[in-house]
Amino acid sequence: MTYTFPHRHLLDIEQLSKNDILALLDLAARYAEQNRSPRKKIDKLAGKTVVNMFLESSTRTRTSFEIAAKRLGADVINFNAALSSINKGETLLDTMRVVDAMQVDAIVIRHQENGIPKFISQHVNASILNAGDGANEHPTQALLDALTIRRHKGKLEGLTVAICGDVEHSRVARTNIRLLNKFGAKIRIFTPPKFAPKDLSALGVTAYPTMAEALKDADVVLMLRIQNERLAGGEFTMSSEEYHRLYGLDHDKLKAAKTDVIITHPLPLNRGVEITDELADDPTYSLFFEQVEMGVAVRMACLDMLLGNRA
Ligand code: CP
């Protein structure tokens, strides 16, 4: 039976069924192969226009969306927020309507406020792809993490996943939790009390008091940095050295996990804070750059699913 992606926008993981996620991952796996071949570029989205509208900093997501769209043959415009008429008082919605009026096919939005991509999606014709909104959602990050995990574990079902660090301010943590919960993962968190999510039970995760307990027999460890940009000034005063001693990961602490454990991290890294240099650079465990590679493939799959069959 032919599968048709039933969504016009990619706003969050909740909207996706298990079937949607598996279809996206299967297509992304094919694009990952293609991206390693000499013929990386196809014309699947020739004639389509994708606009990257990043109103918050990004290296990986913005660059990989641009590469993904270009590999599929689409035209890509990178909106420059700093030089835009938002600085003259134009509202974000009017700005988005202006871009939409140019008959673009997709708008990729990153914004520091929760819910902005969903709000914009209610007012434009273009497909909206959420590239990260506040501490809420980052669906393509969760999909690329899932693809990376599946490449190493062969499945997503029933894995034990420990998420360590600033969970409260992390859209990556929330989105991974939502995706992994759909596959029956056992999700543990280990976090400074200040960074424990307020909606712990609603998220369906269990908090552990020590890293050793959180990591015991884990298949996957997701490490997070402190999201300083989402903290009010002076809210978290622990020194980097103390944080590393109490909450950072090193080879010794990792021994509590399964011997074939893998570590993921959305990057950017704060080396020597949430993870030692030695462990971050140990390819036996740390898959951070493979995650980046899978990010291009996943974003190709998302753009293809959303735009590939649209007139
Ligand atoms: N992982 C991630 O979202 O990285 P960027 O902020 O650089 O896009």
Side-chain angles (χ1 to χ4, degrees):
M1 208 168 70
T2 314
Y3 169 83
T4 306
F5 195 62
H7 309 284
R8 195 170 133 223
H9 307 288
L10 179 62
L11 301 173
D12 53 44
I13 288 296
E14 282 310 330
Q15 74 176 88
L16 301 177
S17 66
K18 258 175 91 168
N19 206 27
D20 295 333
I21 292 169
L22 292 172
L24 280 166
L25 297 186
D26 289 346
L27 181 57
R30 297 201 288 280
Y31 280 131
E33 289 291 313
Q34 180 181 298
N35 286 341
R36 286 191 179 189
S37 77
R39 203 176 120 69
K40 296 179 174 60
K41 191 164 171 175
I42 58 173
D43 61 3
K44 184 85 193 274
L45 296 187
K48 303 284 186 195
T49 307
V50 176
V51 184
N52 266 338
M53 300 192 73
F54 281 64
L55 292 107
E56 187 193 80
S57 307
S58 169
T59 296
R60 282 144 288 272
T61 313
R62 188 178 59 78
T63 310
S64 61
F65 260 116
E66 179 171 358
I67 292 172
K70 286 181 172 169
R71 291 228 170 119
L72 293 169
D75 298 313
V76 182
I77 285 81
N78 286 308
F79 173 81
N80 186 334
L83 291 178
S84 76
S85 292
I86 289 176
N87 297 326
K88 300 176 194 163
E90 187 161 65
T91 66
L92 181 65
L93 180 56
D94 279 343
T95 302
M96 294 290 174
R97 280 180 167 149
V98 165
V99 171
D100 191 51
M102 296 178 193
Q103 302 301 315
V104 306
D105 299 285
I107 304 176
V108 181
I109 302 177
R110 172 170 286 191
H111 199 280
Q112 66 274 14
E113 252 181 69
N114 293 9
I116 291 291
K118 188 170 190 175
F119 169 68
I120 300 299
S121 75
Q122 290 154 0
H123 297 276
V124 296
N125 292 313
S127 286
I128 298 296
L129 292 98
N130 182 356
D133 61 324
N136 181 36
E137 274 274 349
H138 194 351
T140 56
Q141 178 72 45
L143 288 164
L144 75 88
D145 290 342
L147 181 59
T148 308
I149 292 168
R150 198 178 70 164
R151 281 163 65 92
H152 287 263
K153 299 293 168 196
K155 61 173 186 176
L156 295 171
E157 285 80 7
L159 295 172
T160 299
V161 181
I163 303 180
C164 304
D166 178 4
V167 176
E168 170 64 3
H169 301 102
S170 173
R171 58 191 172 213
V172 174
R174 256 161 233 288
T175 321
N176 263 275
I177 289 166
R178 288 173 187 141
L179 188 152
L180 291 164
N181 268 336
K182 289 181 190 272
F183 291 88
K186 294 176 274 301
I187 306 174
R188 306 161 173 178
I189 63 163
F190 175 61
T191 178
K194 209 160 195 70
F195 295 152
K198 311 223 174 351
D199 49 351
L200 196 69
S201 55
L203 281 172
V205 300
T206 310
Y208 283 71
T210 66
M211 191 173 241
E213 288 167 274
L215 263 57
K216 188 169 166 23
D217 297 328
D219 299 290
V220 181
V221 182
L222 164 55
M223 292 305 297
L224 300 168
R225 71 183 172 89
I226 301 171
Q227 308 269 304
N228 285 310
E229 70 276 25
R230 296 196 193 113
L231 298 179
E235 194 186 329
F236 190 66
T237 52
M238 190 182 288
S239 70
S240 296
E241 292 75 18
E242 184 70 349
Y243 185 87
H244 180 66
R245 190 177 68 76
L246 293 173
Y247 299 102
L249 185 60
D250 59 23
H251 277 97
D252 195 43
K253 291 181 189 172
L254 191 65
K255 285 179 188 154
K258 284 191 179 152
T259 51
D260 62 349
V261 66
I262 57 171
I263 309 169
T264 61
H265 191 306
L267 305 181
L269 277 180
N270 287 315
R271 289 172 173 271
V273 183
E274 68 266 17
I275 189 166
T276 56
D277 258 341
E278 295 73 24
L279 187 52
D281 292 329
D282 185 343
T284 312
Y285 303 107
S286 295
L287 305 179
F288 315 152
F289 295 96
E290 183 176 331
Q291 288 173 263
V292 174
E293 180 185 354
M294 293 308 117
V296 175
V298 155
R299 286 160 186 138
M300 288 174 79
C302 293
L303 288 167
D304 183 345
M305 288 280 195
L306 289 169
L307 304 185
N309 296 316
R310 273 182 78 181

